[in-house]
Amino acid sequence: MKTNAARLLDTLGIRYELRDYDPGDEHLTAEEVASRLGLPPEQVFKTLVARGDRTGVMLAVVPGDSALDLKALAKLAGDRKCDTVALKEVTPLTGYVRGGVTALACRKPYATFVDETVELFELISVSAGVRGTQILLAPADYLRASKAKLGAIAMPKE
């Protein structure tokens, strides 16, 4: 199934692979998605929705085995502070459901920040915009398509 994210990549002439997995009925962690795809969790990137005091709504993309460092995100975005948005706000803001949020073809063009470890891989996996489908593509292509800024915004999970 072609998603809006895949259509955007087609428009930009970016090569990618869609990979489906069984999302089940419950919310899956990024590590569980990685396991179902047969990839290491640090290669599967999750997209979180945050709000900064100056930037407003933004997207933060971090490895599946990491947590978002809100202080580092705020600094990179030029904010004094930021926090993740409430789950009930995710769909109205992005047009995507939890587990299917992607920086590609979002409802609005939000500022996007990606953890610098994305450059360690030849291919990364990000949500295709629906639960149960991931997009595999080159990090440089993802950064170009998402118009993202790179920085150290991930930290080990507690």
Side-chain angles (χ1 to χ4, degrees):
M1 169 179 83
K2 284 276 182 163
T3 64
N4 288 340
R7 287 185 196 93
L8 171 67
L9 296 176
D10 288 343
T11 301
L12 295 172
I14 292 174
R15 291 180 42 193
Y16 64 91
E17 174 191 338
L18 290 176
R19 192 171 293 175
D20 295 326
Y21 64 93
D22 177 10
D25 294 331
E26 301 296 317
H27 172 71
L28 297 176
T29 65
E31 289 100 329
E32 291 167 321
V33 171
S35 175
R36 291 180 186 202
L37 293 172
L39 294 170
E42 62 271 16
Q43 196 172 351
V44 176
F45 283 73
K46 58 188 174 185
T47 304
L48 305 169
V49 186
R51 183 179 282 116
D53 63 340
R54 294 178 178 152
T55 306
V57 176
M58 64 183 109
L59 303 174
V61 184
V62 297
D65 64 344
S66 300
L68 175 60
D69 182 336
L70 289 166
K71 287 182 182 178
L73 176 63
K75 184 176 180 182
L76 185 62
D79 291 309
R80 287 183 304 262
K81 63 179 182 173
C82 67
D83 206 348
T84 53
V85 302
L87 183 56
K88 66 183 179 186
E89 292 184 81
V90 169
T91 300
L93 288 170
T94 65
Y96 295 120
V97 298
R98 180 183 185 190
V101 177
T102 183
L104 302 171
C106 220
R107 181 170 278 166
K108 292 182 180 176
Y110 295 119
T112 302
F113 302 91
V114 178
D115 187 68
E116 63 190 6
T117 59
V118 74
E119 294 186 313
L120 298 175
F121 304 98
E122 288 184 30
L123 281 179
I124 59 163
S125 176
V126 296
S127 176
V130 293
R131 291 181 71 240
T133 305
Q134 291 282 108
I135 291 177
L136 277 73
L137 74 169
D141 289 335
Y142 177 70
L143 293 170
R144 180 168 62 96
S146 63
K147 299 181 171 98
K149 184 173 181 179
L150 210 55
I153 59 169
M155 64 182 189
K157 284 186 177 179
E158 292 180 5

